[in-house]
Amino acid sequence: MTTSPLPSPPRGAAVLDTHAARQAPPITDAAALASLKKLTQYYIVTAFLALFVGVMIGPLQALNYGGINVYDLPIIRNLLKSYYQGLSLHGVLNALVFTQFFISGWMLYLPVRDLGARINLKFAWFTYLLMTAGLLMAAVPLLLNHATLLYTFYPPMEGDALFYIGAAIMVGSSLLVVGQVVLTWWNWKKANPGRVTPLVTYMSVATWMMWFVASLGIVIEVVGVLIPWSLGLTPGVDPLLSKTLFWWTGHAIVYFWVLPAYISWYAFIPRHAGGRTVSEPLTRLAFLLFLLNSTPVGLHHQYSDPNISVLWKTLHMFLTFLIAIPSLLTAFSVTASLEDAARARGGRGLFGWVTRLPWGNAIFSAQVLAMISFILGGAGGIVNASSTFAPVVHNTAWIPGHFHITVGTATTLTFMGVALWLIPHLTGKRLPSMKLASAAVWTWFLGMMVFALGMHWQGLYGVTRRAQISATAQDIYRDMPIALPTALTAISGVILLVSAVLYFYVLFRMLLSKRVDDGEVAAPIPYSEAISPAGENLGAASRLVRATEPLLAYWVLALALVLLMYGPVLGRMIANLQLVPGWRLY
């Protein structure tokens, strides 16, 4: 069975006039376009290979919290030295490698095509190869159990220096993508004075600018602290300083994962549904607010840490709550786009229009189910950010439960859906079975919701996160009332394994099939028409469009806000360093 990524409205439904929908400007150099597509394909495939390995380890974690210890089975012991090595591989591959490679390919390709620009493809390929080299360097100690530190790698637990060096190269490579995208946009601005930045480019550039500001914390930690320490060049490490630098990046990275999904939700999902983007000016405002507010919030992860003023923790808490504003703008805008699409398909009533959406299209349903997941994750995030509620759930199973409905569903399921049209677009190959893809999408959502319910529930009973619960001798983890959420968590692991098998079967079958179409024609970039467009002429644009256009100035402001919120905190720590020796458990 073959399907078209862009569904047609059902017979008898109103057909939208899509003449105003943006088309990707043509790139006349066929060789350059082919190379750009191939590069993007390499990024995407590398990302999904990492996700495949990480996801195959995932059910082991779910079964662990279901009270079933599979790590002592001979076949598992031959592959993984411990539960903690499995958890480290699962976290690094899924949360760091998959997301970074997918985003780097996705958000390099989109603005280049959106602007019809030519870029230095040799430099772009060098960036991919450098990022891959960093991944392989970090993978060696991970696989040898010499970097079993989980993805937060808190000192004084010490890993092999090769892991830190590889991680630094991988993250540093993403900053090269930042530079190339921002420079491409800036050159377009100089060549097109008075023009409004196209929406997809605006969202991509704002996201990359945010990531540059956010990544500085982990870059400083790894390059300035962890690498010299692991090489024996410094006498010790200050755990609080390292942890604070990590969370400079550690919370903002969530928005680096989610905003690329937002790009699809705003710009492409309306087209897949047969509707329109509600407001391009409002979309630009949402991304601008994320650029300014995403980074100076990390101290809400450190409420229990000493030597950090309550004043600074409270300021970060309120700044975290401000992030709800662009999230609510997104919820309003995207829901309105979906309603517009459903009513164009004949939907009626206050809620009856929901049934007219194309739920059988996996490209669409994957991303809308991801949105539903993120609503629940956002509500839990407010709990996590509160200085009153956070101590109740901190370091319990609640946290990975929350994490799996944000990055594990909102981001991952969106990228899974995007890949179902992006790969045909890049390669000219066809999606082999929409029914199997839909089954994979719905079972992923179901499995993650069951997992989240079980883990949140266990967390409220105080079940510890990052712990081999299945090997504990304490009966409290097995008796009622914890037995029910424990069972749910175990069941979720089985559901997610089934989903992963279905999805990767469809994905790999598509990748290994023959090219049969011209991707530009059969699966074009699915730009959506806008009910309220931003326009092309900056002088004639609305005040909101003109106010949001100077991204470079806002980039400087975002950096200044971060330095203001972290400078005094870090300055005090540096003035009172408490160095301790490293400790290697593995």
Side-chain angles (χ1 to χ4, degrees), residues 3 45 99 145 156 189 203 282 290 297 303 312 336 344 381 391 427 444 450 519 527 533 538-539 549 581:
T3 58
V45 172
T99 54
N145 200 32
K189 289 287 291 179
M203 293 188 288
L282 196 63
F290 276 118
V297 297
Y303 287 139
W312 289 109
T427 64
W444 186 276
V450 175
Y527 288 105
L538 194 59
E549 183 67 18

Side-chain angles (χ1 to χ4, degrees), residues 244-569:
T244 304
L245 287 169
F246 175 86
W247 284 115
W248 169 331
T249 301
H251 189 85
I253 199 174
V254 173
Y255 304 106
F256 177 58
W257 297 332
V258 171
L259 291 183
Y262 276 23
I263 292 175
S264 181
W265 298 358
Y266 273 112
F268 304 139
I269 270 293
R271 175 74 178 276
H272 288 301
R276 299 168 292 179
T277 299
V278 170
S279 171
E280 289 187 353
L282 196 63
T283 303
R284 291 159 61 98
L285 175 62
F287 272 75
L288 177 58
L289 292 176
F290 276 118
L291 169 61
L292 296 175
N293 293 345
S294 292
T295 306
V297 297
L299 292 184
H300 81 261
H301 288 265
Q302 298 179 257
Y303 287 139
S304 61
D305 288 351
N307 299 327
I308 301 176
S309 167
V310 173
L311 171 63
W312 289 109
K313 292 176 182 177
T314 304
L315 286 172
H316 278 233
M317 178 182 70
F318 282 110
L319 289 171
T320 306
F321 290 153
L322 285 178
I323 300 175
I325 296 174
S327 295
L328 291 172
L329 288 176
T330 300
F332 164 77
S333 298
V334 176
T335 303
S337 295
L338 296 178
E339 182 176 358
D340 175 70
R343 295 197 184 280
R345 291 171 168 267
R348 297 291 182 269
L350 185 60
F351 299 109
W353 57 268
V354 175
T355 63
R356 301 308 297 267
L357 293 171
W359 295 106
N361 182 342
I363 301 170
F364 171 86
S365 58
Q367 298 180 69
V368 176
L369 292 173
M371 298 174 198
I372 294 171
S373 168
F374 197 64
I375 293 172
L376 302 174
I382 293 175
V383 173
N384 300 343
S386 168
S387 59
T388 303
F389 295 120
V392 178
V393 299
H394 188 66
N395 280 337
T396 72
W398 170 290
I399 301 300
H402 166 78
F403 198 60
H404 279 75
I405 56 175
T406 51
V407 64
T409 310
T411 297
T412 303
L413 195 54
T414 294
F415 292 171
M416 289 165 69
V418 165
L420 297 179
W421 72 259
L422 182 60
I423 290 175
H425 170 77
L426 296 173
T427 64
K429 300 177 181 182
R430 291 181 181 174
L431 179 63
S433 173
M434 182 63 80
K435 288 184 177 180
L436 284 179
S438 292
V441 163
W442 283 92
T443 50
W444 186 276
F445 177 75
L446 174 63
M448 282 297 183
M449 292 303 100
V450 175
F451 179 84
L453 176 60
M455 292 293 277
H456 280 84
W457 198 344
Q458 287 180 280
L460 292 176
Y461 281 119
V463 175
T464 308
R465 69 182 293 203
R466 294 171 166 174
Q468 194 172 1
I469 298 300
S470 58
T472 183
Q474 298 183 42
D475 292 334
I476 189 174
Y477 291 122
R478 299 177 179 84
D479 297 338
M480 292 296 290
I482 300 181
L484 181 55
T486 295
L488 289 174
T489 306
I491 292 169
S492 72
V494 177
I495 298 173
L496 288 167
L497 180 60
V498 172
S499 172
V501 170
L502 289 173
Y503 183 81
F504 283 105
Y505 169 77
V506 171
L507 183 72
F508 291 141
R509 183 177 168 187
M510 177 166 54
L511 287 168
L512 297 174
S513 65
K514 294 181 180 180
R515 173 177 175 155
V516 293
D517 295 318
D518 178 353
E520 290 291 304
V521 176
I525 299 175
Y527 288 105
S528 304
E529 182 185 356
I531 296 175
S532 177
E536 295 187 1
N537 187 338
L538 194 59
S542 67
R543 286 185 181 179
L544 182 56
V545 172
R546 295 198 302 271
T548 56
E549 183 67 18
L551 276 175
L552 280 178
Y554 289 118
W555 195 10
V556 174
L557 178 59
L559 181 59
L561 285 173
V562 173
L563 295 178
L564 178 64
M565 288 295 105
Y566 272 103
V569 176

Side-chain angles (χ1 to χ4, degrees), residues 50-337:
L51 182 68
F52 175 74
V53 178
V55 163
M56 290 299 106
I57 300 173
L60 307 183
Q61 316 300 322
L63 291 172
N64 167 66
Y65 275 92
I68 302 171
N69 182 11
V70 294
Y71 283 93
D72 287 339
L73 296 176
I75 187 172
I76 302 297
R77 290 185 67 86
N78 289 332
L79 296 173
L80 299 171
K81 301 301 182 184
S82 69
Y83 157 80
Y84 296 98
Q85 186 188 19
L87 183 57
S88 296
L89 284 165
H90 177 70
V92 169
L93 290 173
N94 289 359
L96 299 182
V97 179
F98 166 67
T99 54
Q100 181 166 305
F101 273 84
F102 189 98
I103 292 166
S104 294
W106 171 244
M107 289 206 314
L108 174 64
Y109 185 77
L110 286 182
V112 170
R113 291 303 312 273
D114 198 39
L115 299 176
R118 293 192 61 175
I119 61 171
N120 186 333
L121 284 165
K122 289 184 178 180
F123 181 81
W125 275 103
F126 167 76
T127 301
Y128 167 77
L129 294 173
L130 186 64
M131 190 180 294
T132 305
L135 166 62
L136 295 176
M137 290 174 66
V140 172
L142 268 173
L143 293 171
L144 294 177
N145 200 32
H146 296 161
T148 299
L149 309 168
L150 313 184
Y151 91 98
T152 48
F153 40 86
Y154 288 159
M157 284 190 68
E158 184 178 355
D160 192 283
L162 189 63
F163 171 74
Y164 298 124
I165 294 170
I169 292 174
M170 197 174 77
V171 173
S173 299
S174 72
L175 300 184
L176 298 182
V177 184
V178 175
Q180 190 160 32
V181 170
V182 172
L183 180 61
T184 300
W185 165 72
W186 184 245
N187 287 336
W188 181 89
K189 289 287 291 179
K190 291 191 294 184
N192 296 272
R195 292 277 302 277
V196 175
T197 301
L199 181 63
V200 169
T201 300
Y202 186 93
M203 293 188 288
S204 300
V205 172
T207 303
W208 279 126
M209 287 179 170
M210 184 279 295
W211 173 238
F212 175 85
V213 175
S215 67
L216 293 178
I218 200 168
V219 167
I220 295 169
E221 180 199 7
V222 174
V223 175
V225 178
L226 298 183
I227 291 177
W229 167 61
S230 62
L231 290 172
L233 303 178
T234 56
V237 64
D238 186 320
L240 182 60
L241 174 62
S242 296
K243 187 176 181 181
T244 304
L245 287 169
F246 175 86
W247 284 115
W248 169 331
T249 301
H251 189 85
I253 199 174
V254 173
Y255 304 106
F256 177 58
W257 297 332
V258 171
L259 291 183
Y262 276 23
I263 292 175
S264 181
W265 298 358
Y266 273 112
F268 304 139
I269 270 293
R271 175 74 178 276
H272 288 301
R276 299 168 292 179
T277 299
V278 170
S279 171
E280 289 187 353
L282 196 63
T283 303
R284 291 159 61 98
L285 175 62
F287 272 75
L288 177 58
L289 292 176
F290 276 118
L291 169 61
L292 296 175
N293 293 345
S294 292
T295 306
V297 297
L299 292 184
H300 81 261
H301 288 265
Q302 298 179 257
Y303 287 139
S304 61
D305 288 351
N307 299 327
I308 301 176
S309 167
V310 173
L311 171 63
W312 289 109
K313 292 176 182 177
T314 304
L315 286 172
H316 278 233
M317 178 182 70
F318 282 110
L319 289 171
T320 306
F321 290 153
L322 285 178
I323 300 175
I325 296 174
S327 295
L328 291 172
L329 288 176
T330 300
F332 164 77
S333 298
V334 176
T335 303
S337 295

